[in-house]
Amino acid sequence: MKTFHCGSLVPGCDWHTRADSEAEVVSRVVDHLRQSHGETTIRPSIIEQIKERMSDEQNAA
């Protein structure tokens, strides 16, 4: 499971998401950046920053 916390990219934002695939997390983050932060252009460098800040979440037993 991949997780992403928006505050790691946009200080002060408490939004976070998680999904099984990296691609799904990136898609959700891009949607969030557009809707909540007014981003109109998502450059490849932003995608790379999202991927760098993504982490693996271990399922609790």
Side-chain angles (χ1 to χ4, degrees), residues 9 13 21 39 42 50 52-53 58-59:
L9 187 63
C13 184
S21 72
E39 293 294 329
I42 307 296
I50 293 167
E52 289 170 1
R53 289 165 171 80
Q58 300 299 321
N59 293 334

Side-chain angles (χ1 to χ4, degrees), residues 4-23:
F4 178 83
H5 294 270
C6 190
S8 68
L9 187 63
V10 180
C13 184
D14 292 330
W15 182 87
H16 62 277
T17 191
R18 65 179 168 213
D20 289 328
S21 72
E22 183 178 273

Side-chain angles (χ1 to χ4, degrees), residues 28-56:
R28 292 178 186 183
V29 174
V30 167
D31 287 345
H32 170 73
L33 290 173
R34 287 184 171 138
Q35 293 175 11
S36 298
H37 299 296
E39 293 294 329
T40 55
T41 303
I42 307 296
R43 292 181 295 280
S45 61
I46 296 294
I47 301 299
E48 289 305 313
Q49 289 177 34
I50 293 167
K51 290 178 181 179
E52 289 170 1
R53 289 165 171 80
M54 202 177 299
S55 61
D56 286 315

